[in-house]
C-alpha cells in the first residue's frame, strides 16, 4: 500500500478511536464523577451530533485548504480530547471534551476520506475508499478493547492519557507521509 494511502487510513483509524473511547469505561466514569445513565447517554449524543455538524465544513475546508491540514487540525482536536478525558473532574467537563472530540473527528474523518481519494489514480479510488472505510471501523473497535485493558492496569484516567500517545503518533506519521 502506498505510503500516502497508508497515512489516510491511519488518519481515519486515529480519528475514529474517539467514537467509543468512553463507552467501555462508562461505569467507572459514572461512579467517580457521580452522574447517571441519562447523562452517560448524552456523552455519545454530544459527540455524534458535533461530528455530524463538523462534516459539512470539513468537506468544504478540505477542498479549499487541502485535506492534510484539515485532517491534522482534526487529529489535534482528537488528541486534545483524549488527553483532557484523563483530567476531567465533573460531568460538564466530559460533555465539553466529547464535543471537542466530535469536532476533531468530523474534520479528520472527512479530510482523510478526501485525501485517500486524491492520492491514488482514479481507477483505484474505490479500493482506496474501501481500505479507508475498513480502518475507520477498526478505529471504532480499537478503543472498545484498548481503554478497558489499559484501565485495568493503570486506571481510567491514565488509560486515556496513555492512549492519547497513539493519536500523537498518528499526527507525526501523517505529517511525515505528506511532506
Amino acid at each position: 500500500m502506498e505510503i500516502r494511502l497508508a497515512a489516510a487510513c491511519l488518519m481515519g483509524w486515529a480519528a475514529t478511536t474517539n467514537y467509543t473511547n468512553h463507552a467501555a469505561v462508562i461505569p467507572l466514569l459514572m461512579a467517580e464523577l457521580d452522574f447517571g445513565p441519562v447523562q452517560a447517554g448524552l456523552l455519545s449524543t454530544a459527540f455524534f451530533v458535533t461530528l455530524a455538524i463538523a462534516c459539512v465544513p470539513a468537506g468544504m475546508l478540505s477542498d479549499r485548504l487541502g485535506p492534510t491540514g484539515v485532517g491534522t487540525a482534526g487529529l489535534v482536536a482528537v488528541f486534545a480530547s483524549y488527553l483532557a478525558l484523563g483530567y476531567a473532574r465533573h460531568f460538564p467537563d466530559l460533555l465539553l471534551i466529547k464535543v471537542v472530540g466530535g469536532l476533531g473527528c468530523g474534520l479528520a474523518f472527512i479530510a482523510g476520506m478526501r485525501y485517500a481519494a486524491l492520492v491514488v489514480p482514479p481507477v483505484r479510488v474505490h479500493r482506496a475508499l474501501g481500505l479507508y472505510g475498513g480502518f475507520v471501523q477498526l478505529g471504532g473497535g480499537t478503543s472498545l478493547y484498548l481503554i478497558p485493558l489499559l484501565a485495568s492496569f493503570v486506571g481510567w484516567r491514565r488509560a486515556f492519557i496513555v492512549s492519547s500517545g497513539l493519536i500523537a503518533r498518528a499526527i507525526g506519521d501523517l505529517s511525515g507521509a505528506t511532506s
Side-chain angles (χ1 to χ4, degrees), residues 51-146:
L51 182 150
I53 291 168
C55 285
V56 173
M60 293 185 293
L61 288 169
S62 291
D63 288 343
R64 184 170 291 146
L65 303 174
T68 56
V70 174
T72 300
L75 287 180
V76 167
V78 169
F79 169 75
S81 72
Y82 253 95
L83 197 56
L85 281 169
Y87 296 98
R89 296 290 174 219
H90 306 285
F91 175 77
D93 298 343
L94 290 176
L95 202 57
L96 178 61
I97 291 164
K98 292 310 287 183
V99 165
V100 170
L103 174 66
C105 188
L107 291 173
F109 171 75
I110 296 298
M113 187 177 359
R114 183 72 180 123
Y115 187 64
L118 288 173
V119 298
V120 297
V123 71
R124 290 187 48 220
V125 167
H126 66 285
R127 186 173 298 137
L129 292 178
L131 283 168
Y132 181 78
F135 275 84
V136 164
Q137 295 305 312
L138 180 63
T142 298
S143 58
L144 282 175
Y145 294 101
L146 179 62

Side-chain angles (χ1 to χ4, degrees), residues 147-160:
I147 298 298
L149 177 65
L150 288 172
S152 71
F153 291 108
V154 298
W156 69 265
R157 291 183 181 281
R158 286 193 180 112
F160 287 123

Side-chain angles (χ1 to χ4, degrees), residues 28-35 88-91 94 156-157:
L28 302 174
L29 298 172
M30 290 170 60
E32 187 170 327
L33 301 180
D34 194 32
F35 63 90
R89 296 290 174 219
H90 306 285
F91 175 77
L94 290 176
W156 69 265
R157 291 183 181 281

